[in-house]
Amino acid sequence: MMQQRRPSAAFNRANVNIETRERPGTIIVDTHRRYLYFVENGGRATRYGVGVGKEGFGWSGQMKVGRKAEWPDWIPPKEMVIRERRKGHILPARMAGGPKNPLGARALYLYRGGRDSLFRIHGTNQPWTIGQRLSSGCIRMMNEDVAHLYNRVPNGTKVVVIGPEGQGGRGVYRETGVSAPGLLTSIFGN
């Protein structure tokens, strides 16, 4: 089996210190920096690298996780089918979940006003795209990272998306450094 290319180490999962008014359990996506933060207690967050919408497909705003799925089926939106057909690519009407599926191992379906926005936070079978602007507006994560996040996030979770030019991001958060869990314990004991 061929080893897949990996993104830059800068996009590896990390525990970071964060200043934010958002409550623990909130997801913050900074599409400009290409990071997703899962806010935790005590001024901490788990930071994940993400791939985001290409030029013209960036967006910002608040949504909620309305549905979750493991190894989800992929049904390309009508607009994408039309857009890709113009380029000479024929997309399937539906693709069963699995390792070759573009939604990857897990998907968090983002809802606004109780309706599916058609935007997702999902895994990818193309990990080298993490840190890049290539998607049609969805937030891509490495499969192991989206599975990690999926297990921590219930339906109803608030998602704050900061746009590619920083729109919607003023004062949402400030990362203050990488935290070293267990460092004090290793020095001073329990």
Side-chain angles (χ1 to χ4, degrees), residues 3 50 54 68 88 104 134 137 141 152 159 166-167 171 176 182 184:
Q3 177 128 359
V50 296
K54 58 189 165 192
K68 298 170 36 172
L134 294 174
M141 300 177 74
R152 305 171 83 192
V159 178
Q167 61 271 44
T176 59
L184 295 178

Side-chain angles (χ1 to χ4, degrees), residues 88-111:
H89 305 129
I90 304 301
L91 297 178
R94 173 186 224 99
M95 180 183 262
K100 293 183 179 182
N101 185 305
L103 291 182
R106 306 286 185 275
L108 306 173
Y109 295 75
L110 302 181
Y111 281 56

Side-chain angles (χ1 to χ4, degrees), residues 12 22 29 45 52 59 78 84 99 111 133:
N12 288 345
E22 298 297 336
V29 181
V52 299
W59 57 279
K78 284 185 282 186
E84 292 301 313
Y111 281 56
R133 290 177 69 177

Side-chain angles (χ1 to χ4, degrees), residues 37-128:
Y37 297 86
F38 179 73
V39 179
E40 300 170 18
N41 289 316
R44 294 193 171 188
T46 301
R47 184 185 72 195
Y48 305 87
V50 296
V52 299
K54 58 189 165 192
E55 182 105 15
F57 288 90
W59 57 279
S60 64
Q62 290 187 19
M63 297 204 194
K64 292 190 178 220
V65 174
R67 183 167 86 83
K68 298 170 36 172
E70 296 184 31
W71 293 107
D73 287 354
W74 179 54
I75 302 168
K78 284 185 282 186
E79 298 82 5
M80 180 184 283
V81 170
I82 294 166
R83 190 172 59 246
E84 292 301 313
R85 188 175 295 137
R86 285 187 197 131
K87 297 177 191 174
H89 305 129
I90 304 301
L91 297 178
R94 173 186 224 99
M95 180 183 262
K100 293 183 179 182
N101 185 305
L103 291 182
R106 306 286 185 275
L108 306 173
Y109 295 75
L110 302 181
Y111 281 56
R112 180 179 281 145
R115 293 177 179 238
D116 187 352
S117 69
L118 302 180
F119 291 117
R120 318 279 183 246
I121 296 171
H122 64 80
T124 183
N125 57 12
Q126 300 172 325
W128 59 90

Side-chain angles (χ1 to χ4, degrees), residues 3-13 33-35 47-52 124-134 140-145:
Q3 177 128 359
Q4 290 190 330
R5 292 178 291 154
R6 304 283 297 174
S8 162
F11 296 104
N12 288 345
R13 185 185 329 156
R33 294 187 62 224
R34 303 202 198 32
Y35 289 121
R47 184 185 72 195
Y48 305 87
V50 296
V52 299
T124 183
N125 57 12
Q126 300 172 325
W128 59 90
T129 64
I130 302 305
Q132 298 184 40
R133 290 177 69 177
L134 294 174
R140 296 180 178 191
M141 300 177 74
M142 287 186 282
N143 277 332
E144 60 269 25
D145 285 348

